Amino acid sequence: MGVNGIYGLSGSGLDIESMVKVGMMGQQKQLDKLQQKTDLATWKKESMSSVYSDLSTYNYSTLTQYKLQSNMNAMSATSSDESVVKVTANGSAASMSHKVSVGRLSSNAYLITADKIKRENPSAGTSIYMADSLFSDGGQTGKVYTVDGTDYVSYKKGDTVTSSVFVNTAANQRTFGYAAVTVTRTETADGTVSNTWSPENFDDIRITQDHINSLMGLEAGSGSYRINGRIFDYSGRTDTTTTSFSFTDANGATTNPPLQFTKNADGTYKYGNTDNIAEDLSTLATSDKIVMGGKIVNGSDIAVSFTLMDGAESETLAGMTADEIKEKRTISYTYAELAAGGKTYNDLAADINALGTNVKASYDAANDSFSLTNKNSGKDNKISLTMNTELAATLFNNLGLKQSKDGALLGQKTGENAYSDTTYQFTSGGETSLAGDSGKITIDGKTYDNVEDNRITVDGVTYNLQNVSSSAESSTKYTMVDENGNTIGALQEAGGAKTVNVVINQNTDAIIDKVKSFVEDYNKLLDGLYEKYSETKYSDYKPLTESQRDKMTEKQIEKWEEKAKSGLLYHDRTIGSIIDKLRTALATPVDGLDSKYNSAYSIGIYTSKTNGHISLDEDRLKKALAEDPEAAYNVFGTLPNEDKLKASISNEKGEYDKSRLSQMMYDGMGVAQRLGDVMSQAMKSVKTEAGASSEVSDGSNLGNKILEFQQKMSDFKTLMSAFESRLFKKYDAMESLLATLGAQMNYITGGQ
């Protein structure tokens, strides 16, 4: 650096920064070459990675379909009556006809609300809340406050309260005043008691049966009474015939504010001090107790608990004890969870579905219907319900469930094929279990009675049962009986099996279409490889340096790099080897086939002169299939028996040549199997050379080379920085020397 950090003060006329820049040009050229090598390696890696992607797609997706017997030996199946049985055939099915009769359809265990859900709460309508099916008050009774061991019940406006909890007198009406609040008790001829509040804007009151008796003057005498958490002396009350009376506290002092009651014109009393209730209520301690169904219960107590099994627990919960399985399959609800605004039928369905069984539940709000279905049919797939509490039994009984079976609703089972006309009745501690039915089909004289989901595959033919094949003669299938066992109806089924003819033939058109598809896919893969292998290489177009980019437009850069990236895999040895192996795999006959149709060429596939493209002679393929129906599958999908090949080349000690076995295995593979082997080896080679993606740190040869270049660039940049510093230091010293010489010259000159 020059004098005072500024160059040129010496008067030398030297441009130091330009001189340093010129001195760095050689270094920059070396760095640019390293950057170009890095760019070329990166582009080549990306191009090779795209080849890996093409090979992977062809191997794992495209090629797989040509190895399948169901595709390369496609069979067609027809049924003389598809209303009874529909059929499909895979490649292993023999071309022949079958005689079939369906004796029984498989069915699922299925429970559904027969009419509508019953509510114990008469005003609930079609409420979605489970509490309305369990409690006459719908779970909306009051909360319990406990003070010194005594329970006080709090009711809200609009509640309906039962006589056992609130009013238990013979009178039709009593009034407890809070701005003329009236509790009206109604008792019908059958003994049903109900109580209502008036007016509707009443907020809150806490009181017990003893309080009502004392406050309404229904009893005479003396003593202390607890009212709203405070003790009052009954003996201090004035005569009930006067217009008002009040209480004194335990010390004989009048309460402040007075607990005063005013006599109404009809002889009843209203409470005349609103502040006192608010004050007294604040002293009450909240507990976990609530009132539901006319009883004081702990909100945390289990109200509803049931266990659901599907018949498959031994498989799905293997290793668990019976108790552990039961715990995992049990659903429970507390009183608090069921209280007003709590659990709904939708919650019940969701909780059942979350158990992880094969039983699925659903609530249809529009039709007020609940259903349970085992999604798997058959006699071993069940719906088993155990009611662990009385309220659980009440809940499920009120769901009004019947079994839906063969298009009919059947009630409680009473015998092998007899059902009551009533809905299922559940009891606490009892288990109710129903199963589906397994289907029954007779094929060529052999009966299969374990058909599940109305589907069975025999000898490559899949039979989908649609209906029972029967004549017009009928017999009783299910009977319906009343509560006394009297038959009240029967579900009939037709009797006498009717035979359905099933014919299996080879689907020649489907096989030809599949071979044509193979030809197109093979040519597409080959074209992609040839495009990279023979792409023109433009040697004059190197990767651009930063300085070159700065002088070009985006369009110019794009066109330049298009040519610079071209031909990166021109005559690449890995790509060339893959192409050669593809051709060999296709052209080589399949060893071990006992047929003259043992190669791709023999069934009509031949090579054209365009980059190894193949074509199909459809007539030749049709002829091959007519003479040997399995020709296409044998040529494409055959896999040799490794154990037999080992035995054929092993000596007495069981020793054999592994390389020879490998070659024999390859030679015995069908074309599609062999191409899959070629693809797997090719993918390994490409992955070793360039990796499976553009990721640099993948351990591939090109990835390692890129990392090496990047490290060299980093090291060289450090050297360049040091070299640049030395140049500045050198020119800085020269500038300082010139400044010193200038000063000396001025001194000499000035002294003359």
Side-chain angles (χ1 to χ4, degrees), residues 453-471:
D453 298 326
N454 289 314
R455 180 186 180 92
I456 187 172
T457 299
V458 178
D459 295 332
V461 181
T462 299
Y463 301 86
N464 291 282
L465 284 59
Q466 305 295 312
N467 215 328
V468 175
S469 55
S470 52
S471 65

Side-chain angles (χ1 to χ4, degrees), residues 195-316:
N195 300 273
T196 57
W197 294 108
S198 177
E200 280 291 315
N201 63 1
F202 175 64
D203 286 329
D204 199 354
I205 188 168
R206 295 164 176 81
I207 198 160
T208 66
Q209 178 61 54
D210 288 343
H211 304 159
I212 290 180
N213 291 342
S214 64
L215 295 176
M216 299 310 165
L218 300 178
E219 296 178 358
S222 63
S224 297
Y225 291 83
R226 182 182 297 277
I227 302 174
N228 298 326
R230 295 178 63 178
I231 298 174
F232 299 97
D233 188 356
Y234 183 79
S235 61
R237 180 174 64 83
T238 60
D239 188 0
T240 57
T241 60
T242 60
T243 57
S244 66
F245 63 90
S246 61
F247 281 84
T248 59
D249 61 22
N251 298 319
T254 302
T255 59
N256 184 23
L259 187 62
Q260 186 176 14
F261 296 86
T262 303
K263 190 175 183 180
N264 297 317
D266 60 359
T268 60
Y269 292 85
K270 65 180 180 180
Y271 179 54
N273 190 318
T274 59
D275 292 336
N276 195 57
I277 283 188
E279 177 189 42
D280 289 340
L281 296 185
S282 66
T283 66
L284 297 175
T286 303
S287 75
D288 197 26
K289 293 181 179 180
I290 57 176
V291 178
M292 294 184 71
K295 296 188 301 182
I296 295 176
V297 295
N298 286 317
S300 58
D301 286 348
I302 298 298
V304 170
S305 177
F306 64 93
T307 302
L308 186 149
M309 300 285 193
D310 63 7
E313 284 73 26
S314 59
E315 298 178 11
T316 58

